[in-house]
Each structure stands twice: as C-alpha cells, then as structure tokens.
Amino acid sequence: ALKSPQQIMGVLLKKYWFAAINKQCSSDGRMSDASQIYHVTVMPCYDKKLEASRKEFILDENSSIKEVDCVITSLEIEQLLMDKHIDDLSTYCVLQAQKN
C-alpha cells in the first residue's frame, strides 16, 4: 500500500527517529516506546483526518500506536485564531514577546 507524505513522516518519526534518538540518549533519558511521541500534522483538507484514523496506519501489528496522532486542518487553525481574536499573527507574536 502506498502512503501519503503525512503517513511517511509518522513512520519516520515514530520508528526511525525514535530508534536513533534512543541510541544517543543515556539510559535515564530514553523513551520507553514510540507512543511517547505525539505526531500532529496541519493539512489542507478533512480527508487527511480520515486517512490518519485508518487501521492500516498503525505503526506495528502488535501495538496500537498510530503513525499520526492528530490532524488539524488549516481551516481549524484559522478558526482557533479567530476565536482568540488574533487577526494579525505577526502583531500577536510581537505583543507576546513584549509581555515576557
């Protein structure tokens, strides 16, 4: 089965990056399993949500770890910003930096 870039990134993060990072960490800094990685993608359409929820896209047959944990659409990001009354993101970032 072919995978989309969204799903490929999930495999790269949770399988290969997880293994590589655990090799470099001391035993007390290691993650117990890939479920400790929460992979979020921002995608342009709702179909990617359906894709990420398919049971074929479980990382390993013996686990319930999804390749992609959460998909947020660009429209949902816009709605979140509007709900918070953030019209201009660049101005918002400057104001937040000045508060700190």
Side-chain angles (χ1 to χ4, degrees):
L2 294 175
K3 292 185 184 233
S4 71
Q6 169 182 270
Q7 298 305 130
I8 291 169
M9 190 65 196
V11 171
L12 289 174
L13 278 173
K14 292 192 174 188
K15 211 173 212 174
Y16 300 106
W17 183 79
F18 169 77
I21 205 72
N22 267 353
K23 281 183 187 176
Q24 294 176 0
C25 291
S26 61
S27 60
D28 60 334
R30 290 187 179 169
M31 292 183 263
S32 59
D33 63 29
S35 69
Q36 292 179 288
I37 299 170
Y38 195 78
H39 181 215
V40 177
T41 61
V42 178
M43 293 291 158
C45 67
Y46 287 92
D47 290 344
K48 293 296 183 181
K49 290 176 176 274
L50 298 172
E51 176 186 308
S53 67
R54 289 174 41 192
K55 51 187 161 178
E56 300 93 63
F57 295 130
I58 299 295
L59 194 62
D60 183 328
E61 296 167 359
N62 302 321
S63 75
S64 61
I65 301 171
K66 295 178 181 181
E67 294 171 356
V68 177
D69 296 296
C70 180
V71 180
I72 301 172
T73 66
S74 48
L75 181 60
E76 290 171 321
I77 295 287
E78 180 185 30
Q79 289 170 343
L80 285 169
L81 292 172
M82 289 172 65
D83 287 348
K84 297 290 182 185
H85 306 289
I86 301 171
D87 299 325
D88 182 359
L89 193 55
S90 61
T91 303
Y92 177 78
C93 291
V94 169
L95 292 174
Q96 288 299 98
Q98 289 174 350
K99 285 183 183 178
N100 298 327

